[in-house]
């Protein structure tokens, strides 16, 4: 079964994403910030990470850099999920290692299409 780590400081967003992802056949783990997410990835690497940009403790961008530098055997797909919509943010996310980008709020169809693009739906 495919696994997803949902990283967002909003419990509501994590709950909505979990509901959608479980309906799509994913097992889901959650993290409230980048530091929790990094520890979770070191423990068990997910197939995909749904990642918020703005979080306390460790932002999504800082998490991406830490994930890249963690020396893990492989890199999961990363879908940034954020309200940041300008091209500079999107370009920065892709350059930092994100595979796709989805705007909040999102629905099942939007998230499913992004997961298809990265080869996981």
């Amino acid at each position: 079964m495919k696994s997803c780590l949902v990283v967002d400081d909003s419990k509501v967003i994590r709950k909505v994403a979990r509901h959608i992802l479980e309906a799509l056949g994913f097992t889901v783990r959650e993290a409230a910030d980048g530091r929790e997410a990094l520890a979770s990835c070191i423990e068990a690497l997910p197939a995909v990470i749904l990642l918020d940009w703005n979080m306390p403790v460790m932002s999504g961008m800082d998490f991406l850099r830490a994930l890249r530098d963690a020396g893990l055997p492989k890199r999961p797909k990363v879908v940034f999920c954020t309200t940041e919509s300008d091209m500079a943010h999107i370009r920065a996310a892709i350059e930092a290692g994100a595979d796709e980008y989805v705007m909040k709020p999102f629905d099942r169809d939007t998230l499913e299409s992004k997961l298809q693009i990265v080869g996981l739906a």
Side-chain angles (χ1 to χ4, degrees), residues 8-106:
D8 200 299
D9 56 325
S10 167
K11 189 173 184 176
V12 171
I13 295 292
R14 292 195 312 266
K15 183 176 180 178
V16 168
R18 173 183 285 277
H19 178 75
I20 292 169
L21 289 159
E22 287 177 344
L24 294 172
F26 284 82
T27 59
V28 179
R29 289 180 295 145
E30 298 178 19
D33 61 57
R35 188 179 304 157
E36 280 183 29
L38 190 58
S40 183
C41 286
I42 290 168
E43 182 181 311
L45 202 60
V48 63
I49 299 169
L50 191 61
L51 181 63
D52 186 22
W53 188 292
N54 297 306
M55 296 178 290
V57 184
M58 181 187 281
S59 72
M61 289 296 283
D62 289 341
F63 165 79
L64 262 183
R65 290 182 194 103
L67 182 67
R68 182 182 58 219
D69 296 340
L72 298 171
K74 65 180 192 173
R75 194 181 73 79
K77 299 293 184 182
V78 176
V79 178
F80 250 115
C81 178
T82 183
T83 58
E84 303 291 350
S85 61
D86 61 89
M87 284 308 296
H89 279 93
I90 294 170
R91 190 176 311 109
I94 300 301
E95 288 172 359
D99 297 286
E100 241 330 307
Y101 201 92
V102 65
M103 297 302 301
K104 290 180 186 176
F106 56 87

